[in-house]
Amino acid sequence: GQQVMQIPQYQHVQEGEDFTTYCNSSTTLSNIQWYKQRPGGHPVFLIQLVKSGEVKKQKRLTFQFGEAKKNSSLHITATQTTDVGTYFCAPGANNLFFGTGTRLTVIP
Amino acid sequence: EAQVTQNPRYLITVTGKKLTVTCSQNMNHEYMSWYRQDPGLGLRQIYYSMNVEVTDKGDVPEGYKVSRKEKRNFPLILESPSPNQTSLYFCASSPGTEYSNQPQHFGDGTRLSIL
């Protein structure tokens, strides 16, 4: 299946600091989805990016799709304890292959 | 309420004893899939189904079987479970068609321990 590398694997931030996770592919992606999984929970869909260079915002979350459609990022501004969880990117066409995820810990 | 329901939520069993994890969705979704989640490896797809009677292997299908006889159900079968299949399993569904992606809705997960 498609291979994507997601970095970092873990990130600890102080509450109020910013956080970014990156998803990189060696091949061009048709689209990419982002999911969040809270501790003990199941993945929940956040957003889908389709167009080259696309940028979408959800409150403090900013999602970007690279111009070459080979990478994507999720940036959280001024993290809060509610942001704790693992963030997955998931590129795919007919089916989804998930990145390994970035586990975010927010220290109050 | 729109949901994906997995059963059981937890199961401890022994090597070689056949088991089935059921998955049912009430959203009339065409696409369903199974994932396993292991520490450091993220979510890996086991099998997926585009529609009734259509199933395909994902990344890690070995040791698993699935069937899609009805649109709403997509059971995962472990004919002869082994300890390396100890994992957290998620079922997911989406209204996706063959040439597009739709958001996947996940069940709450099934934690399997094979002794």
Side-chain angles (χ1 to χ4, degrees):
Chain A
Q2 289 181 309
Q3 299 292 323
V4 288
M5 179 170 292
Q6 200 170 345
I7 53 173
Q9 191 172 358
Y10 303 96
Q11 185 80 61
H12 299 253
V13 299
Q14 289 287 144
E15 189 172 16
E17 291 182 339
D18 292 357
F19 158 77
T20 304
T21 174
Y22 301 90
C23 186
N24 299 308
S25 170
S26 57
T27 59
T28 303
L29 306 171
S30 58
N31 59 63
I32 193 163
Q33 296 180 0
W34 284 91
Y35 290 77
K36 175 184 178 181
Q37 184 179 20
R38 293 182 186 273
H42 59 268
V44 174
F45 173 80
L46 294 176
I47 209 155
Q48 176 167 284
L49 304 171
V50 179
K51 299 176 185 174
S52 167
E54 190 169 14
V55 178
K56 287 188 177 180
K57 292 191 175 184
Q58 290 179 350
K59 297 182 181 177
R60 294 177 294 102
L61 277 61
T62 301
F63 303 85
Q64 289 190 309
F65 203 8
E67 293 289 342
K69 299 182 75 173
K70 287 185 176 182
N71 54 72
S72 182
S73 65
L74 158 59
H75 179 83
I76 302 178
T77 304
T79 54
Q80 299 175 0
T81 53
T82 53
D83 295 324
V84 164
T86 302
Y87 293 85
F88 293 97
C89 64
N94 295 339
N95 51 303
L96 284 175
F97 293 91
F98 283 74
T100 50
T102 296
R103 181 181 294 180
L104 173 64
T105 301
V106 179
I107 304 162
Chain B
E1 180 190 349
Q3 59 185 6
V4 178
T5 304
Q6 293 178 230
N7 279 298
R9 292 290 317 280
Y10 305 91
L11 178 64
I12 301 174
T13 187
V14 296
T15 299
K17 186 176 180 183
K18 180 179 178 180
L19 67 92
T20 299
V21 185
T22 64
C23 175
S24 180
Q25 50 93 5
N26 62 0
M27 296 168 278
N28 201 36
H29 285 170
E30 292 186 351
Y31 182 98
M32 297 186 74
S33 61
W34 276 102
Y35 297 87
R36 61 177 289 173
Q37 185 171 29
D38 303 288
L41 297 176
L43 286 154
R44 294 180 294 167
Q45 192 176 54
I46 303 171
Y47 269 95
Y48 66 97
S49 170
M50 300 288 235
N51 214 325
V52 176
E53 302 292 0
V54 180
T55 62
D56 264 306
K57 296 178 180 178
D59 265 348
V60 288
E62 293 77 24
Y64 304 94
K65 284 174 59 178
V66 292
S67 70
R68 188 91 182 273
K69 296 187 173 122
E70 308 163 279
K71 199 171 192 178
R72 63 182 293 127
N73 296 322
F74 191 44
L76 179 69
I77 304 154
L78 284 71
E79 294 271 3
S80 183
S82 62
N84 64 12
Q85 293 178 297
T86 292
S87 187
L88 176 59
Y89 291 85
F90 287 102
C91 179
S93 75
S94 80
T97 61
E98 186 173 357
Y99 299 106
S100 68
N101 281 117
Q102 300 284 335
Q104 294 210 31
H105 301 256
F106 283 80
D108 287 336
T110 296
R111 189 166 291 281
L112 284 184
S113 294
I114 317 294
L115 305 178

